[in-house]
Amino acid sequence: MPSASRSAPRPAALVWLVLAPLLLAACQEAAGLGLSPTTGSAAGEDAPTAVPSLAAVPRASRSGQGVDDIVYDPGQMAELPCHSMDFTIMGRCTAAEVERVATEIRRRVAEGELPGIVEAGKLAEDGEAAAADPVSIETIAAGDAADPERSTTGDGAAEAGAGPRDLGDGVVFDPAAMASFPCHAMGDTLMGRCTEAELRELKAQVLERRATAGATATPMALVQPGDLLPPDAAPAPIAGPQQAVALRSGETYRLRASPARWRVAGATLPAYAYNGQIPGPLLKVRQGDEVDVRFENRIDRSSTVHWHGLRLANGSDGVPGLTQPAIQPDGDWIYRLRFADPGLYWYHPHLRDDLQQDAGLQGVILVEPQDPAYWSPVDEEWVLTLDDLLLEGGRAVGYGRDAANFAIMGRFGNQLLVNGRERFSRLVESGQVVRVFLVNTANVRPFRISFDGAPMKLVGGDLGRVRVERYVDELILAPAERAVVEVAFDEARPYRLLHRGASEPVALGQVLALPARRGPSPARSAFDRLRVDGPISREMAELAPFRERAPDLELDLTVSIPDLLLSRETAANGDPHADDPAHGRIEWEDDMLAVNRASSSDTVHWMIRDRRTGAVNHELAYTFRVGDHVKVRLHNLSDSQHPMQHPIHFHGQRLLVLSRDGQPERAPSWKDTVLVTPGETVDLLLELTVPGAWMVHCHILEHIESGMMFSFQVLPAAEDPPPPLPDVIDSEALPPHADGAAPASDGH
Ligand code: C2O
Ligand code: CU
């Protein structure tokens, strides 16, 4: 039986050895203030842990199973009043508050409730609870009097659509921001559904934080691509459109990243291009081929190339600090590519992708299957990259110089792009069938695509065919995901290429179907058949036992935003998304605007957290062997400070989604990127076929920058190797270290 194993000791344990004495000291200090630490009396005899020792429980030894794991972590959300999320107590707590909150968590669990969020203040005895409310009501009332339109309506929530409202002292309430969320504050902005009482409470919190922090925050320094070039550098050339290039096995292809200018929507933006093209060249190769790429970095910052979805030798994976050094400006590097699987793959930098990929460094690879009948017959094939850019005054909004901005929700663009251009258009003949290979290269935006009523059949995913083809009305594609659809343009008419987000569909371009000169294409009858993939069906039958098996890893997706303030009401009720099943609870647009923009990946901490050990992001360390199958359960926590969807990408291996919220996946296919919506639990099976050190991360580019990643090790197969699979790749030494490549250091 294949198995998962983990390495020890864990880095988390080491971190904890250093932190634990500090936490103990903090706890003792609280006790020294005359607050008597007591034992867990109210929880009854089965209370497993005496409260004063909670803080000393090392995270690395927690089992993640329940009340045994209650810890007090005073370092988390340190500026907030005492509260807990799940089994972690955080904020400014006295020993008595820790005790009360722990008791409440135990009570909830004993009564079969989820622990959720417990706020110490709410548990206080009457009289203690309604303590100080230092904000002056006059400030808000004065604002109201000045504008009768905004007069308060008792405790009712502010009406949606109202403009920002000045609460005095530089604090603003923007009811349009995050209107579907409960009341909260980021920086000096209050947002969400707030009652007047909550506005007063949060304003007081903002002022209090300001007083303790002393100085006001300095705005982030922003940059544009090419900023680091010498001032006398010649103007960069205008980027051309993507060109297809067929690569032969054994050849060495030159791929040069250089500064460029990008004409979009009437503006000319500073940008980067691969071989002068945005997107970069469309590389056409055959399954099983091997090609060397000589990457020449001629942009003004360090870069690498990651070959997204390829199961290639680890040394060519393009992850700085893990599989190679960052390639400094003027450095070169050789990548050896292998194409194990048919379908659509893509390439992009793996360093400050929020800037470099957004600014044009992205390209696609189309791998032609060895089996000529792998895909159904069609009349044409198109490759479409779906992307967006955030433009303002004829430029892209600046990128954080030292860290990514837009760290909370990612950078949603206001200009949608297909193949790097704002208007997509194609001609076909009515009756024709087109196979469309789609990839989402946006920083964060999910696309929901349809062809204006043209029948559409989903035939492929990230790594080749789906197990069972099916007709779909629309297709949701998260960043980095690919889909292969066949579209029948039966009528002679224009078909818009539509994206439907939270509101009305918008057209990304159009396909004009001209009257047919001949009868319907022979591909049309193939379109009417739904094929079942034999090899995947067999693989899935073999893997069926994993469905029932307990997960090897359980990972929570969550966030810590220390700058975020919650009202008591919000803290008590969690921070759920507006539950809209039709949208799959996906965030389609940035509804936080200024706040998201100002948020920095230095201070927003997106996390992948091991549910059993509590280890987070780079603290995670797993070791597997070639031949292992690892069942991973991803929980996207709906009670985090900002629940949103995360496309989780595994490098170098393939995976199958087994189920979502316990429901078997409808059209499974081999994938490398899985969209997990808020509150959702996804079971997936990771198949380990290639040895090396591989990344796992959220593909929202600002979330990578804020740390939402870890890596795992795959050792070569044990002495007794499993029977070879057709497309297993054996291990290989690092590619030759080309001469100009300097050691990793980018200053980011
Ligand atoms: Cu396309 Cu590590 O990513
Ligand atoms: Cu994410």
Side-chain angles (χ1 to χ4, degrees), residues 545-567:
F546 286 96
R547 273 184 199 295
E548 309 310 324
R549 206 174 92 173
D552 300 299
L553 305 179
E554 286 201 67
L555 302 175
D556 289 340
L557 310 178
T558 185
V559 67
S560 162
I561 312 175
D563 288 343
L564 181 76
L565 297 176
L566 304 180
S567 71

Side-chain angles (χ1 to χ4, degrees), residues 136 307 439 465 489 573 576 626 677 699 708:
S136 88
W307 310 90
V439 57
R465 292 196 297 215
F489 297 101
N573 294 328
V626 166
T677 59
H699 219 287
M708 198 172 191

Side-chain angles (χ1 to χ4, degrees), residues 408 606 644-648 697-700 703-704 708:
I408 298 178
W606 284 102
M644 71 178 287
Q645 70 275 5
H646 300 282
I648 303 296
H697 61 83
C698 174
H699 219 287
I700 294 174
H703 290 185
I704 310 182
M708 198 172 191

Side-chain angles (χ1 to χ4, degrees), residues 330-372:
D330 287 325
D332 295 354
W333 188 262
I334 307 271
Y335 294 97
R336 176 153 296 171
L337 310 187
R338 300 202 211 195
F339 309 100
D341 309 283
L344 189 66
Y345 302 85
W346 64 298
Y347 55 97
H348 60 75
H350 222 284
L351 239 169
R352 279 308 296 274
D353 319 19
D354 64 298
L355 187 174
Q356 295 189 18
Q357 182 186 309
D358 199 48
L361 293 183
Q362 46 175 274
V364 288
I365 306 169
L366 189 59
V367 182
E368 187 192 326
Q370 266 160 3
D371 172 5

